[in-house]
Amino acid sequence: MPAPPAQRAPQAAPGPVPAAPAAPAAFAPAPAAPSVSAAVPQVQLIPASAEGALDAAEEAVDLLLDTGRAPGDILVLTTGDPHPWAAHELSFGEAAYWAQHDAGDDVFYADAAQAQRAAGRPVVVLAVNGGPVAAVAGTLPAALARAGALLIVCGDPQQANSVLGAGV
């Protein structure tokens, strides 16, 4: 089982950063803050190896759903092999696959290379499960841009911090 998520304050947050909540509450919707930081999604890091990143992402999605997050609020991106759901759905053709994305009523799984095509959702879970280092580095900012309230990165925290900044 992966370690509990590490809470990180958004870089644009002015003033002191509140203490991190306990792990189960960490996936609860973030309260609205009346400041510039309200537009900056919260970032959580779940340390995981490339081999364990997909499992960690699945656990994060399960916890989000268990704590009341709507399935249509969640986008899961993978940097290596596609999620089995995405591979299965793509077997029916691109049009049907993207129609499910556009319907927005279920968790949607996509390859990070397609992140530009995916619409933003309140929560983005990024499974850093392989892929070239340069591609992973480019995916983190794209995932952050698509996350409305929360970005959960399942992977190497040092790599995430180096791309997103030490204040993440």
Side-chain angles (χ1 to χ4, degrees):
M1 180 165 192
Q7 292 286 307
R8 307 292 183 188
Q11 279 184 312
V17 177
F27 292 100
S35 70
V36 172
S37 66
V40 178
Q42 178 183 4
V43 177
Q44 295 178 356
L45 301 176
I46 299 177
S49 65
E51 297 78 24
L54 204 52
D55 288 337
E58 282 297 316
E59 289 180 24
V61 168
D62 289 344
L63 187 55
L64 287 162
L65 296 172
D66 289 347
T67 58
R69 191 54 89 163
D73 285 354
I74 304 168
L75 170 65
V76 179
L77 300 173
T78 57
T79 61
D81 289 335
H83 187 278
W85 180 91
H88 172 76
E89 293 301 320
L90 279 166
S91 72
F92 298 106
E94 290 262 337
Y97 173 75
W98 287 104
Q100 289 185 353
H101 167 268
D102 296 340
D105 55 4
D106 205 355
V107 176
F108 190 78
Y109 298 84
D111 184 294
Q114 300 168 325
Q116 299 301 334
R117 184 169 177 185
R121 294 210 176 173
V123 179
V124 174
V125 179
L126 176 62
V128 184
N129 63 329
V133 173
V136 171
T139 299
L140 283 164
L144 184 62
R146 288 190 169 38
L150 177 62
L151 170 63
I152 301 171
V153 180
C154 303
D156 179 359
Q158 290 178 344
Q159 184 180 26
N161 280 328
S162 70
V163 173
L164 297 174
V168 175

